Amino acid sequence: MAPRSLITLLVTVSLASAGSAEPATPGCSDSSRECLVRAATSYLDAITQHDGSLAWLAPDVHRRVNGSELEGEEAIRSAIDHEPEMIGYRDARFFVNEREGWVVVFWLIDLDGPVTARIAERFKIENGLITEIEGVASRDPAE
């Protein structure tokens, strides 16, 4: 096989497999602080890496951010895949209620521009999967 044909084949295989990533399975299923924080962090990682398959989402997950609502795992994963370009997140603060199975996270995302988004989100987590996401976000020019 000619080198050019091999490169074309490799690129085609890479692109085909990139869109078919299997959703992440939770690494835990209890209501411990560690498990709840790991589940919430899976969502933060998914958002900043534009990879919805990283988030530990329940099939019937519901998301409301700044009044915009999405229903279902597929719709939310697709939205995550199409988030604006980000440099990364920082300064995440987690407040956990183990008894109720929820986590509130205050975090910052650095976007191109330079712009910093300030975000507060509440996650309801059951058996290691996120079932509810409620959030508010604002974008401000970086200082």
Side-chain angles (χ1 to χ4, degrees), residues 38-117:
R38 286 178 61 198
T41 301
S42 76
Y43 178 83
L44 306 187
D45 292 339
I47 289 277
T48 56
Q49 295 178 38
H50 299 89
D51 186 352
S53 69
L54 297 175
W56 300 358
L57 301 176
D60 60 346
V61 62
H62 176 85
R63 178 174 94 166
R64 176 187 286 183
V65 177
N66 288 351
S68 177
E69 295 188 51
L70 284 175
E71 289 282 341
E73 176 182 12
E74 285 186 36
I76 294 171
R77 288 190 196 285
S78 178
I80 288 171
D81 291 343
H82 296 93
E83 289 287 336
E85 287 302 313
M86 301 171 198
I87 298 166
Y89 74 89
R90 60 186 167 90
D91 299 333
R93 302 291 186 261
F94 297 86
F95 299 88
V96 179
N97 182 322
E98 293 175 61
R99 187 172 43 85
E100 298 294 325
W102 56 255
V103 178
V104 173
V105 185
F106 295 95
W107 54 305
L108 303 175
I109 295 179
D110 295 318
L111 307 166
D112 281 341
V115 173
T116 298

Side-chain angles (χ1 to χ4, degrees), residues 23-47:
T25 55
C28 56
S29 59
D30 58 54
S31 61
S32 68
R33 176 183 174 77
E34 179 185 1
C35 184
L36 296 172
V37 168
R38 286 178 61 198
T41 301
S42 76
Y43 178 83
L44 306 187
D45 292 339
I47 289 277

Side-chain angles (χ1 to χ4, degrees), residues 6-17:
L6 179 59
I7 291 171
T8 302
L9 175 64
L10 291 174
V11 169
T12 303
V13 169
S14 294
L15 290 174
S17 63

Side-chain angles (χ1 to χ4, degrees), residues 106-129:
F106 295 95
W107 54 305
L108 303 175
I109 295 179
D110 295 318
L111 307 166
D112 281 341
V115 173
T116 298
R118 289 159 174 76
I119 302 170
E121 291 186 286
R122 182 194 65 86
F123 300 91
K124 174 68 175 161
I125 299 160
E126 299 174 10
N127 300 315
L129 296 175

